[in-house]
Amino acid sequence: MSTTQISGVTVNTQASVYFDGKCVSHGITFPDGTKKSVGVVLPATLTFNTGAPEIMECVAGGCEYKLAGTDAWLKSGPGDKFSIPGNSSFDIRVTEPYHYICHFG
Amino acid sequence: MSTTQISGVTVNTQASVYFDGKCVSHGITFPDGTKKSVGVVLPATLTFNTGAPEIMECVAGGCEYKLAGTDAWLKSGPGDKFSIPGNSSFDIRVTEPYHYICHFG
């Protein structure tokens, strides 16, 4: 079961645009100050770097991802999550738009 | 003064992707049921059709737009708004990402 909506949040009206628009996200802030983002990765193969640890939650579409230091491409579909350590990176391979929630920390 | 954040809303986690990703938006719903969207148009020249009337509010970047039935390309920058009638269309020309809030009705 994927998370289709998030209620009671503040949304940043300006998007973050990465990789010439292959990834677009909008930041959201919860009443307790927690920050997440909702975004989409369009068909591409990209490498993302992390600062804080992240949990990527798929809400629609899907991707394959490969964590730094591993050899395996793993699938992630609606309702699936994967975790990336801080100060690390992951490769992502997308053939249909991958819609996600990014949880930090 | 542009609107940088919108508080107390429900955000749709799945983006709407138009024109192969040249436009990406996330729908938001206010407590009274009012729906808007926050989105970005990447560099491109596109034609958008309206169902309901729309007001496009620029929050960052900028665009030039031309309403159906007019000849003039007009500029819209941060804090500017323009209105499009229902069941109509407008052309938009973007050279730097145009971040917007779309108000309906």
Side-chain angles (χ1 to χ4, degrees), chain A residues 3-6 9 11-13, chain B residues 3-6 9 11-13:
Chain A
T3 305
T4 58
Q5 294 192 314
I6 301 173
V9 294
V11 61
N12 294 342
T13 58
Chain B
T3 306
T4 58
Q5 294 192 314
I6 301 173
V9 294
V11 60
N12 295 341
T13 58

Side-chain angles (χ1 to χ4, degrees), chain A residues 15-75:
Chain A
S16 297
V17 177
Y18 304 100
F19 302 108
D20 288 328
K22 288 299 182 187
C23 176
V24 172
S25 70
H26 279 91
I28 58 176
T29 307
F30 288 73
D32 69 359
T34 303
K35 291 181 187 299
K36 300 180 192 279
S37 66
V38 292
V40 60
V41 180
L42 301 175
T45 299
L46 304 171
T47 302
F48 285 92
N49 298 303
T50 58
E54 295 179 7
I55 296 170
M56 294 289 285
E57 176 182 351
C58 181
V59 294
C63 74
E64 294 176 294
Y65 67 93
K66 187 164 69 73
L67 300 179
T70 73
D71 290 325
W73 285 96
L74 302 173
K75 283 182 192 293

